[in-house]
Amino acid sequence: MTPHLLVAPILIPLAAAAAMLLLPAKRRRWEGAIAIASCALLLAVAAALAIAADTGGGASVAYRLGGGPAWVAIVLVSDRLSALMLLLAAGLGLVTSVFASGRWARLGPFFHPLSQFLLMGLNGAFLTGDLFNL
């Protein structure tokens, strides 16, 4: 597994939410499809991280954002617990997106982008390497 995969659980929901916010008003029906596709892709990435954490003997994988020294850079860490929490959040996000695409899009026009931003924040909290960045 490449350590660059640790950034994907943060970037996937960010890109999906940005794409949903840039959609014109006529294409708001696509938000549900984008949210479901994003959560499905996030579920696949989380499953890959969980499998990599399990086959690695429980060893954690660390990734420094920006490539700076460890005391300056934001460090993302994936171990068994964080990978399973990512898997749980992605699964619940997928179920929520499927359920919400039927009704909530009419009641709250920004429900899907906000749920993607929420997933981005949760994934960042699960992968953070220290308490200061949390």
Side-chain angles (χ1 to χ4, degrees), residues 9 22 26 31 35 47 51 65 67 70 82 86 101 107 116 118 128:
L22 293 176
K26 296 178 187 176
E31 285 184 353
I51 290 170
L65 292 174
S82 63
L86 284 174
S101 63
L107 297 176
Q116 292 297 310
L118 176 69
T128 189

Side-chain angles (χ1 to χ4, degrees), residues 31 96-112:
E31 285 184 353
T96 303
S97 295
V98 169
F99 178 75
S101 63
R103 178 179 173 164
W104 282 90
R106 292 188 303 264
L107 297 176
F110 295 110
F111 176 79
H112 290 293

Side-chain angles (χ1 to χ4, degrees), residues 59-129:
S60 62
V61 176
Y63 182 75
R64 287 185 308 189
L65 292 174
W71 59 277
V72 175
I74 295 175
V75 179
L76 300 178
V77 178
S78 175
D79 55 359
R80 283 183 182 170
L81 178 63
S82 63
L84 288 176
M85 294 301 286
L86 284 174
L87 197 60
L88 178 68
L92 288 174
L94 181 63
V95 170
T96 303
S97 295
V98 169
F99 178 75
S101 63
R103 178 179 173 164
W104 282 90
R106 292 188 303 264
L107 297 176
F110 295 110
F111 176 79
H112 290 293
L114 287 175
S115 68
Q116 292 297 310
F117 283 129
L118 176 69
L119 275 175
M120 181 190 73
L122 276 174
N123 294 342
F126 293 149
L127 289 174
T128 189

Side-chain angles (χ1 to χ4, degrees), residues 1-84:
M1 178 193 77
T2 176
H4 298 294
L5 192 60
L6 289 176
V7 183
I10 298 170
L11 292 180
I12 292 170
L14 176 65
M20 285 185 238
L21 288 175
L22 293 176
L23 282 176
K26 296 178 187 176
R27 305 285 186 202
R28 290 282 181 200
R29 294 180 296 153
W30 290 11
E31 285 184 353
I34 293 172
I36 290 170
S38 169
C39 288
L41 183 60
L42 188 61
L43 189 65
V45 169
L49 286 173
I51 290 170
D54 194 41
T55 58
S60 62
V61 176
Y63 182 75
R64 287 185 308 189
L65 292 174
W71 59 277
V72 175
I74 295 175
V75 179
L76 300 178
V77 178
S78 175
D79 55 359
R80 283 183 182 170
L81 178 63
S82 63
L84 288 176

